[in-house]
Amino acid sequence: STVTVKVPATTANLGPGFDCIGAALKLYNEFKFTRHESGLIIQVSGTEAEKVQTDESNLLYQAFLKLYEFIEQTPPSVKIEIKLGVPLARGLGSSATAIVGGLVAGNVLAGSPLSELQVMELAIAMEGHPDNVVPALLGGCRLAATSRTGWEICDITWHRDIFPVVAIPDFELSTSEARRVLPTEVSRGDAIFNTAHFGLLLRGLATNREEWLRAALQDKLHQPYRQALIPGYDAVETAAVAAGAYGMVISGAGPTLLALTDELHTQAVVTAMTNAWKQAGITSVVRSLPLD
Ligand code: HSE
């Protein structure tokens, strides 16, 4: 038997929502699992295929094993075909696609013993933070908050006239490196700043009120520390805003940069971000990517 799972890229944080909000984008990885009897085979095609491990250390396969460990069953021997559309280590949730893909495929091949909620909780535990795996599993824009017993997930209204533009540079930044630069404690002033701006962001996303969105895309918990890891950050932000974007943030842990704009300005923002990075000596792929 065969199961194919298609999992979207995700952009986490959206500026002030560090580690709690993320949105799925129309860019996908596809994973096909086929039971067969002669040991693990992993075949990879698509974007940056040569960078993916094809042995047991493969994250997709590790997630698949985790599912069987959780349900206390022996995993079947499988052939896995991976079609990559999401670039690796760029802040677009490529590891979340692997974690969600492996867990979902494992669950289906096992006859769906786990609920979607259980799969989601396993995915969050594997990734360590919820903001990529939750929208990767459920689609749309999602907020995750711990409850007394687990997680509360809510869907965040995203006004249809707000257009994401992602600027993906040709260099990688590992999430662990981008987390290492963060302080373990923050000031009360910075905590209040983020609480206010995150609230404003949620209302801005729902209403498309331009002045709210323009003010909301600011953060004091992670971006100030991470900007130094992304050459050209200031120039790309200035160019995006001058071309009509509401603002620009780091997508996930970076180095991809995410601008939000309206339909009218999308092309100008794409061009401005591409050129600004080119002037800073960095080749990038910049494109408008709608929500999944
Ligand atoms: N919220 C996480 C971070 C996302 O910013 O480190 C990592 O993909």
Side-chain angles (χ1 to χ4, degrees), residues 111-188:
S112 301
L114 300 190
S115 66
E116 189 174 61
L117 181 67
Q118 286 174 305
V119 170
M120 191 193 74
E121 284 173 352
L122 272 181
I124 296 173
M126 268 193 91
E127 177 93 313
H129 44 84
D131 46 342
N132 291 108
V133 292
V134 172
L137 181 65
L138 305 176
C141 183
R142 306 280 170 168
L143 171 68
T146 51
S147 67
R148 281 181 218 284
T149 52
W151 291 91
E152 284 302 324
I153 306 299
C154 54
D155 53 322
I156 299 302
T157 304
W158 185 295
H159 195 286
R160 62 189 159 79
D161 293 336
I162 303 171
F163 285 69
V165 172
V166 293
I168 310 167
D170 65 357
F171 65 91
E172 297 184 4
L173 179 57
S174 79
T175 297
S176 56
E177 186 188 344
R179 289 182 87 81
R180 212 169 26 241
V181 300
L182 304 181
T184 51
E185 290 180 16
V186 298
S187 70
R188 177 163 59 184

Side-chain angles (χ1 to χ4, degrees), residues 81-96:
E81 289 156 270
I82 302 176
K83 262 193 228 160
L84 290 177
V86 183
L88 296 141
R90 300 299 211 297
L92 288 169
S94 65
S95 36

